Amino acid sequence: MRQIILDTETTGIDPAQGHRIIEIGCVEMMERKLTGRNYHVYVNPEREIEAEAITIHGITNEFLVDKPKFADIADEFFEFIKGAELVIHNAAFDVGFMDSEFGRIKPVRKTADHCGVVDSLAIARAKHPGQKNNLDALCKRYGVDNSNRELHGALLDAEILAEVYLLLTGGQTALSLDAGSENGGLGGGVRRLSSSRPALPVVGATDAELEAHQAFMSAMEKKAGETVWSKLEGLE
C-alpha cells in the first residue's frame, strides 16, 4: 500500500471565502515504511494572508511573492498523490482546500476520485474519546518529539504525523533489534521474521537438572512453606 502523509498551510480557514493554499508537505510511505520520497512546495496564493494565520504558521506575504502559483505546480502535485491513500489530520479541512484549488484549473480534479483519504483525527477521537487529539497532544501521548514545532509547517507536520499515525494504528514502529545498526540497534524500523524460517529447537532440562531443581524447591518449602511454583506444578 502506498500512503501519503499530507499537510497544508493556508491563508485562512475557509476556501469558500477565497482562502488559498500556501504550503504543501507530503511524506511517502510504502507498506507502512517511510521511503524517503517527500513533496514540499510553497505557493503564491495571489491574495493576502490573514494576520491570525501568520501567527500560526509564520509564512508572510513577502515570503511568497516569488513562489509559484498553484496552477504552476498542480500537475506535479497531482502526480505525486494520484492513486495513493492520503493520511491527513482533520482531512476535511485540507481536502476542501485541495478540491478548491484543483477546481480553479483545467482539468478539474476532485481528490477523492483519485485518492483514498484517511482522517487520522477521526481515528484518534475513536481511540481516545473525550481527550485532546490535536497533533501536539498526540505527540505528548505517544512520546513523539515535536520540539522543533514552534510554528506549524506543512512538511514538518507531515513528518510528525507520519510517526504519530504509525503509533496510533500499529503500536511501536521505531525500535530495531539490529545490533549492527549505526545507532546501536535503536533505529531502522521493525524487523519481521520470515514465515519460512526454520523452527526454533526446544531444549528440555536434563534429568540431573530436574533433580537439582526439585532438591532446591524442597529446601525452599521447608523454610517458607508451599511455593507458587509447587502450586503451578500441581495444575499441570
Side-chain angles (χ1 to χ4, degrees):
M1 178 185 293
R2 180 172 183 260
Q3 293 177 300
I4 301 295
I5 317 302
L6 183 148
D7 187 58
T8 65
E9 300 299 339
T10 62
T11 63
I13 63 171
D14 190 355
Q17 296 179 2
H19 285 292
R20 307 285 302 272
I21 289 176
I22 58 173
E23 185 187 9
I24 302 169
C26 301
V27 176
E28 183 185 63
M29 289 198 304
M30 292 288 289
E31 303 299 336
R32 294 178 61 84
K33 295 180 181 178
L34 296 174
T35 68
R37 283 191 71 212
N38 298 339
Y39 179 83
H40 180 231
V41 65
Y42 290 102
V43 181
N44 183 337
E46 304 178 82
R47 60 154 292 157
E48 294 292 302
I49 305 171
E50 288 190 343
E52 185 176 354
I54 294 175
T55 65
I56 295 173
H57 49 59
I59 302 172
T60 64
N61 296 291
E62 294 75 18
F63 176 75
L64 297 175
V65 168
D66 61 348
K67 302 301 184 286
K69 299 179 177 64
F70 187 86
D72 299 325
I73 59 91
D75 287 342
E76 65 178 19
F77 173 48
F78 177 75
E79 288 301 317
F80 189 83
I81 65 173
K82 182 175 66 173
E85 180 178 79
L86 306 182
V87 178
I88 309 172
H89 209 62
N90 191 16
F93 177 88
D94 299 83
V95 171
F97 270 94
M98 290 162 60
D99 286 347
S100 177
E101 295 287 1
F102 281 128
R104 290 185 169 91
I105 56 179
K106 303 294 182 182
V108 173
R109 295 152 172 157
K110 191 171 179 63
T111 305
D113 291 342
H114 303 278
C115 305
V117 179
V118 172
D119 188 350
S120 54
L121 177 58
I123 295 173
R125 284 173 171 169
K127 192 168 184 178
H128 306 290
Q131 301 182 53
K132 288 185 177 180
N133 287 298
N134 58 39
L135 195 53
D136 284 334
L138 291 173
C139 285
K140 184 176 181 180
R141 188 171 301 143
Y142 286 99
V144 175
D145 182 11
N146 66 340
S147 56
N148 291 327
R149 193 179 185 245
E150 295 180 7
L151 294 170
H152 289 220
L155 183 59
L156 175 61
D157 284 3
E159 291 172 341
I160 291 173
L161 178 58
E163 189 171 353
V164 167
Y165 173 75
L166 289 172
L167 293 165
L168 183 66
T169 58
Q172 180 174 298
T173 61
L175 178 62
S176 167
L177 300 182
D178 183 1
S181 64
E182 293 181 0
N183 51 0
L186 295 178
V190 174
R191 299 177 63 209
R192 303 195 182 279
L193 297 176
S194 170
S195 59
S196 60
R197 69 191 185 279
L200 294 175
V202 178
V203 180
T206 66
D207 290 342
E209 288 170 337
L210 290 172
E211 186 177 343
H213 168 72
Q214 189 57 52
F216 176 79
M217 295 306 301
S218 297
M220 286 279 292
E221 290 179 359
K222 287 180 180 179
K223 292 183 177 180
E226 188 179 18
T227 63
V228 173
W229 185 276
S230 298
K231 292 179 181 178
L232 291 175
E233 286 185 326
L235 295 176
E236 294 180 353

